[in-house]
Each structure stands twice: as C-alpha cells, then as structure tokens.
Short mmCIF file of all heavy atoms in Angstrom, two decimals:
data_model
loop_
_atom_site.label_atom_id
_atom_site.label_comp_id
_atom_site.label_asym_id
_atom_site.label_seq_id
_atom_site.Cartn_x
_atom_site.Cartn_y
_atom_site.Cartn_z
N GLN A 1 107.17 80.93 94.89
CA GLN A 1 105.85 80.37 94.89
C GLN A 1 105.22 80.67 96.23
O GLN A 1 105.77 80.37 97.26
CB GLN A 1 105.92 78.82 94.63
CG GLN A 1 106.46 78.42 93.35
CD GLN A 1 106.55 76.89 93.19
OE1 GLN A 1 106.62 76.11 94.19
NE2 GLN A 1 106.40 76.42 91.96
N VAL A 2 103.99 81.30 96.19
CA VAL A 2 103.39 81.72 97.44
C VAL A 2 102.14 80.86 97.66
O VAL A 2 101.27 80.74 96.72
CB VAL A 2 102.99 83.21 97.35
CG1 VAL A 2 102.32 83.66 98.61
CG2 VAL A 2 104.25 84.07 97.04
N SER A 3 101.93 80.46 98.89
CA SER A 3 100.71 79.68 99.27
C SER A 3 100.08 80.50 100.48
O SER A 3 100.82 80.85 101.41
CB SER A 3 101.02 78.30 99.74
OG SER A 3 101.59 77.52 98.74
N LEU A 4 98.83 80.77 100.36
CA LEU A 4 98.09 81.52 101.39
C LEU A 4 96.92 80.67 101.92
O LEU A 4 96.09 80.17 101.12
CB LEU A 4 97.52 82.80 100.83
CG LEU A 4 96.65 83.65 101.76
CD1 LEU A 4 97.33 84.05 103.01
CD2 LEU A 4 96.08 84.87 101.02
N ILE A 5 96.85 80.47 103.22
CA ILE A 5 95.78 79.72 103.84
C ILE A 5 95.08 80.63 104.84
O ILE A 5 95.75 81.28 105.66
CB ILE A 5 96.34 78.48 104.66
CG1 ILE A 5 97.19 77.60 103.75
CG2 ILE A 5 95.31 77.72 105.37
CD1 ILE A 5 98.04 76.55 104.47
N ASP A 6 93.76 80.76 104.73
CA ASP A 6 93.04 81.54 105.76
C ASP A 6 92.43 80.54 106.74
O ASP A 6 91.92 79.50 106.43
CB ASP A 6 92.01 82.44 105.08
CG ASP A 6 90.88 81.73 104.31
OD1 ASP A 6 90.73 80.53 104.50
OD2 ASP A 6 90.20 82.40 103.56
N ASP A 7 92.48 81.01 107.99
CA ASP A 7 92.03 80.14 109.11
C ASP A 7 91.71 81.12 110.28
O ASP A 7 92.03 82.25 110.18
CB ASP A 7 93.07 79.13 109.52
CG ASP A 7 92.55 77.91 110.20
OD1 ASP A 7 91.38 78.00 110.75
OD2 ASP A 7 93.19 76.87 110.23
N ASN A 8 91.05 80.57 111.34
CA ASN A 8 90.85 81.48 112.49
C ASN A 8 92.10 81.64 113.31
O ASN A 8 93.14 81.03 112.97
CB ASN A 8 89.62 80.89 113.35
CG ASN A 8 89.95 79.51 113.79
OD1 ASN A 8 91.10 79.13 114.01
ND2 ASN A 8 88.89 78.71 113.98
N ALA A 9 92.01 82.45 114.30
CA ALA A 9 93.20 82.79 115.12
C ALA A 9 93.86 81.56 115.70
O ALA A 9 95.12 81.41 115.76
CB ALA A 9 92.81 83.82 116.18
N VAL A 10 93.02 80.65 116.13
CA VAL A 10 93.55 79.43 116.73
C VAL A 10 94.27 78.58 115.71
O VAL A 10 95.37 78.05 115.89
CB VAL A 10 92.48 78.57 117.32
CG1 VAL A 10 92.96 77.25 117.88
CG2 VAL A 10 91.80 79.34 118.56
N GLY A 11 93.65 78.44 114.49
CA GLY A 11 94.14 77.66 113.43
C GLY A 11 95.53 78.17 112.94
O GLY A 11 96.43 77.35 112.65
N ILE A 12 95.68 79.48 112.70
CA ILE A 12 96.91 79.99 112.11
C ILE A 12 98.05 79.83 113.11
O ILE A 12 99.20 79.55 112.68
CB ILE A 12 96.78 81.44 111.68
CG1 ILE A 12 96.54 82.36 112.83
CG2 ILE A 12 95.70 81.70 110.63
CD1 ILE A 12 96.61 83.88 112.53
N GLU A 13 97.71 79.90 114.39
CA GLU A 13 98.79 79.72 115.36
C GLU A 13 99.23 78.29 115.44
O GLU A 13 100.44 77.97 115.46
CB GLU A 13 98.27 80.20 116.75
CG GLU A 13 99.34 80.32 117.81
CD GLU A 13 98.84 80.92 119.04
OE1 GLU A 13 98.38 82.13 118.99
OE2 GLU A 13 98.89 80.29 120.12
N LYS A 14 98.30 77.37 115.35
CA LYS A 14 98.64 75.95 115.22
C LYS A 14 99.43 75.60 114.05
O LYS A 14 100.46 74.79 114.14
CB LYS A 14 97.37 75.08 115.31
CG LYS A 14 96.70 75.03 116.71
CD LYS A 14 95.49 74.07 116.67
CE LYS A 14 94.82 73.99 118.04
NZ LYS A 14 93.61 73.16 118.01
N ARG A 15 99.10 76.09 112.92
CA ARG A 15 99.79 75.86 111.67
C ARG A 15 101.24 76.38 111.76
O ARG A 15 102.20 75.72 111.27
CB ARG A 15 99.05 76.53 110.50
CG ARG A 15 97.73 75.90 110.13
CD ARG A 15 97.09 76.59 109.01
NE ARG A 15 95.70 76.17 108.68
CZ ARG A 15 95.48 75.12 107.91
NH1 ARG A 15 96.49 74.46 107.35
NH2 ARG A 15 94.22 74.71 107.74
N LEU A 16 101.41 77.52 112.32
CA LEU A 16 102.79 78.09 112.50
C LEU A 16 103.67 77.26 113.41
O LEU A 16 104.83 76.88 113.00
CB LEU A 16 102.67 79.53 113.07
CG LEU A 16 103.99 80.22 113.23
CD1 LEU A 16 104.57 80.64 111.89
CD2 LEU A 16 103.86 81.43 114.17
N LEU A 17 103.10 76.89 114.55
CA LEU A 17 103.94 76.08 115.51
C LEU A 17 104.15 74.59 114.95
O LEU A 17 105.17 73.98 115.33
CB LEU A 17 103.22 75.98 116.77
CG LEU A 17 103.15 77.35 117.59
CD1 LEU A 17 102.36 77.20 118.89
CD2 LEU A 17 104.52 77.85 117.92
N ALA A 18 103.28 74.11 114.11
CA ALA A 18 103.50 72.84 113.51
C ALA A 18 104.44 72.85 112.31
O ALA A 18 104.77 71.80 111.79
CB ALA A 18 102.13 72.22 113.08
N GLY A 19 104.83 74.01 111.89
CA GLY A 19 105.77 74.13 110.76
C GLY A 19 105.14 74.06 109.41
O GLY A 19 105.76 73.96 108.40
N GLU A 20 103.79 74.22 109.31
CA GLU A 20 103.03 74.17 108.10
C GLU A 20 103.20 75.47 107.32
O GLU A 20 103.08 75.46 106.01
CB GLU A 20 101.57 73.89 108.33
CG GLU A 20 101.27 72.55 108.97
CD GLU A 20 99.76 72.38 109.20
OE1 GLU A 20 98.97 73.06 108.58
OE2 GLU A 20 99.45 71.51 110.08
N VAL A 21 103.44 76.57 107.97
CA VAL A 21 103.62 77.89 107.35
C VAL A 21 104.82 78.61 107.86
O VAL A 21 105.34 78.27 108.98
CB VAL A 21 102.41 78.75 107.53
CG1 VAL A 21 101.10 78.13 106.85
CG2 VAL A 21 102.11 79.00 108.97
N ASP A 22 105.32 79.53 107.09
CA ASP A 22 106.44 80.37 107.48
C ASP A 22 106.08 81.49 108.37
O ASP A 22 106.82 81.82 109.36
CB ASP A 22 107.23 80.89 106.26
CG ASP A 22 107.65 79.77 105.28
OD1 ASP A 22 108.42 78.89 105.69
OD2 ASP A 22 107.18 79.82 104.13
N LEU A 23 104.99 82.10 108.14
CA LEU A 23 104.53 83.26 108.76
C LEU A 23 102.98 83.21 108.99
O LEU A 23 102.29 82.51 108.27
CB LEU A 23 104.84 84.56 108.01
CG LEU A 23 106.33 84.84 107.79
CD1 LEU A 23 106.46 85.92 106.75
CD2 LEU A 23 107.04 85.28 109.03
N ALA A 24 102.50 83.93 110.06
CA ALA A 24 101.08 83.99 110.28
C ALA A 24 100.65 85.47 110.48
O ALA A 24 101.43 86.21 111.09
CB ALA A 24 100.73 83.12 111.51
N LEU A 25 99.52 85.79 110.03
CA LEU A 25 98.97 87.16 110.18
C LEU A 25 97.66 87.12 110.84
O LEU A 25 96.77 86.43 110.45
CB LEU A 25 98.80 87.80 108.80
CG LEU A 25 100.06 88.43 108.17
CD1 LEU A 25 100.00 88.47 106.66
CD2 LEU A 25 100.30 89.79 108.72
N GLY A 26 97.58 87.86 111.98
CA GLY A 26 96.33 87.93 112.69
C GLY A 26 96.53 88.37 114.13
O GLY A 26 97.57 88.95 114.43
N ASN A 27 95.53 88.03 114.92
CA ASN A 27 95.71 88.38 116.38
C ASN A 27 96.28 87.15 117.10
O ASN A 27 95.63 86.11 117.20
CB ASN A 27 94.42 88.81 117.01
CG ASN A 27 93.24 87.88 116.71
OD1 ASN A 27 93.00 87.52 115.49
ND2 ASN A 27 92.51 87.43 117.74
N CYS A 28 97.47 87.26 117.55
CA CYS A 28 98.19 86.13 118.19
C CYS A 28 97.55 85.93 119.60
O CYS A 28 97.52 86.83 120.42
CB CYS A 28 99.67 86.42 118.30
SG CYS A 28 100.63 85.09 118.99
N LEU A 29 97.10 84.75 119.84
CA LEU A 29 96.42 84.42 121.14
C LEU A 29 97.46 84.18 122.22
O LEU A 29 97.10 84.36 123.41
CB LEU A 29 95.51 83.15 120.96
CG LEU A 29 94.44 83.25 119.89
CD1 LEU A 29 93.69 81.92 119.80
CD2 LEU A 29 93.53 84.42 120.19
N HIS A 30 98.71 83.84 121.88
CA HIS A 30 99.67 83.57 122.86
C HIS A 30 100.91 84.34 122.51
O HIS A 30 102.00 83.75 122.26
CB HIS A 30 99.95 82.07 123.00
CG HIS A 30 98.68 81.26 123.31
ND1 HIS A 30 97.94 80.70 122.36
CD2 HIS A 30 98.12 80.99 124.50
CE1 HIS A 30 96.88 80.01 122.89
NE2 HIS A 30 96.98 80.21 124.22
N ALA A 31 100.86 85.68 122.50
CA ALA A 31 102.01 86.47 122.06
C ALA A 31 103.19 86.27 123.04
O ALA A 31 104.35 86.61 122.66
CB ALA A 31 101.59 87.92 121.96
#
C-alpha cells in the first residue's frame, strides 16, 4: 500500500523527521 504526500521542501523534511513518512524526495535543506 503506497501513500504519497506532496509538500514543500520544509514540509517533507519535517514529515520525515517526525516519522510520518518512510522516505522524502526533493531538495534537502539540511543535508
């Protein structure tokens, strides 16, 4: 089962660190 959430660069990073998603795709602001 696949769930895809689109968000801005800040949002996807926050979601990843909060454990809401497994992976994030985009430009990482804090690589």
Side-chain angles (χ1 to χ4, degrees):
Q1 295 180 333
V2 181
S3 296
L4 174 61
I5 302 169
D6 63 15
D7 205 339
N8 58 31
V10 174
I12 64 172
E13 193 170 299
K14 286 182 177 179
R15 290 177 186 275
L16 181 73
L17 293 176
E20 296 178 23
V21 295
D22 303 299
L23 297 166
L25 278 154
N27 50 309
C28 184
L29 302 178
H30 303 93

